[in-house]
């Protein structure tokens, strides 16, 4: 399941990035696509963990598919989306450098006395508010409905690939919101 999640993510995250660039820019910046492709295996593992969080809800709270989706992947999915937005905003700012992305995250913890300020500047200030709000609303409505279906009608071993497959449309929207939002954040800095 982990390899399947990573491989599926490797296909759909860069494709969602390409779709969003074509919609907004009418061209593709392949440096951005390589950046997304480099992070895609981690996104696939994260998606697998989200699906498994629903299974944990099923074991410990309720087997109801709606409860599993709402308290599992949809609850944690909004946090997961913050990393997607932060990674893309930092990428936009740094010329899509993975080294700079790692530095951004390590800089959060470099000075313990400034941890709260570092978290704000290095993490939360990289999340575009309006676009993130759109993602949260979509996660709580449309994505929740899909996850209900996934838990009620899809076999266990196909749940993560189903999420990643259906995620193509979701990722196109998420990439589009991220592209517009990160450009607003980075553009306001210049």
């Amino acid at each position: 399941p982990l390899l399947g999640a990573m491989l599926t993510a490797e296909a759909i995250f860069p494709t969602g990035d390409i779709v969003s660039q074509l919609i907004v820019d009418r061209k593709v910046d392949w440096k951005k696509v390589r950046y997304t492709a480099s992070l895609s295996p981690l996104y696939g593992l994260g998606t697998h963990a989200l699906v498994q969080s629903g299974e944990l809800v099923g074991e410990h709270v309720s087997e109801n598919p709606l409860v599993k989706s709402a308290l599992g992947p949809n609850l944690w999915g909004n946090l997961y989306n913050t990393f997607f937005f932060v990674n893309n905003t930092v990428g936009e700012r740094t010329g899509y450098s993975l080294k700079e992305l790692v530095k951004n995250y390590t800089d959060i913890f470099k000075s313990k006395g400034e941890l709260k300020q570092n978290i704000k500047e290095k993490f939360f200030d990289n999340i575009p508010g309006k676009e993130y709000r759109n993602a949260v609303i979509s996660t709580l409505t449309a994505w929740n409905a899909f996850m209900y279906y996934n838990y009620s009608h899809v076999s266990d071993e196909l749940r993560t690939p189903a999420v990643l497959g259906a995620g193509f449309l979701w990722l196109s929207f998420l990439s589009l919101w991220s592209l517009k939002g990160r450009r607003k954040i980075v553009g306001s800095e210049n």
Side-chain angles (χ1 to χ4, degrees):
L2 294 178
L3 183 58
M6 292 168 61
L7 291 173
T8 306
E10 193 63 53
I12 65 168
F13 275 86
T15 304
D17 188 10
I18 290 168
V19 167
S20 70
Q21 288 184 54
L22 288 172
I23 291 170
V24 173
D25 299 331
R26 307 271 189 254
K27 63 180 182 173
V28 176
D29 180 344
W30 293 104
K31 187 174 186 177
K32 292 178 187 177
V33 176
R34 284 190 299 274
Y35 180 82
T36 300
S38 298
L39 294 170
S40 292
L42 293 174
Y43 294 148
L45 292 173
T47 302
H48 180 72
L50 289 175
V51 172
Q52 294 309 305
S53 71
E55 298 300 341
L56 287 173
V57 169
E59 288 177 28
H60 301 287
V61 179
S62 172
E63 273 294 325
N64 181 295
L66 185 58
V67 174
K68 287 171 68 172
S69 64
L71 296 180
N74 291 331
L75 178 64
W76 298 107
N78 288 307
L79 177 62
Y80 174 80
N81 290 343
T82 64
F83 286 99
F84 183 78
F85 281 104
V86 169
N87 293 347
N88 288 333
T89 301
V90 171
E92 182 83 19
R93 182 180 296 115
T94 64
Y96 296 95
S97 166
L98 290 172
K99 181 179 176 183
E100 290 298 320
L101 179 64
V102 170
K103 182 180 182 307
N104 182 75
Y105 284 115
T106 58
D107 283 354
I108 290 174
F109 302 102
K110 72 177 181 184
S111 182
K112 290 184 175 110
E114 301 169 5
L115 181 62
K116 185 177 177 181
Q117 183 65 26
N118 289 345
I119 291 170
K120 179 189 176 308
E121 289 175 6
K122 300 290 184 181
F123 194 81
F124 290 109
D125 286 352
N126 287 305
I127 302 169
K130 177 183 173 188
E131 291 77 11
Y132 181 69
R133 183 196 69 214
N134 292 342
V136 169
I137 291 168
S138 297
T139 298
L140 295 174
T141 57
W143 196 248
N144 201 39
F146 169 76
M147 288 306 298
Y148 169 80
Y149 177 83
N150 195 35
Y151 284 121
S152 61
H153 299 301
V154 177
S155 64
D156 291 351
E157 63 274 359
L158 294 177
R159 285 187 182 148
T160 298
V163 167
L164 288 166
F168 168 72
L169 181 61
W170 167 245
L171 284 169
S172 295
F173 283 114
L174 197 62
S175 292
L176 183 63
W177 293 325
S178 175
L179 182 62
K180 289 180 176 184
R182 68 184 181 240
R183 285 185 176 166
K184 281 195 284 190
I185 290 174
V186 173
S188 70
E189 296 170 353
N190 297 330

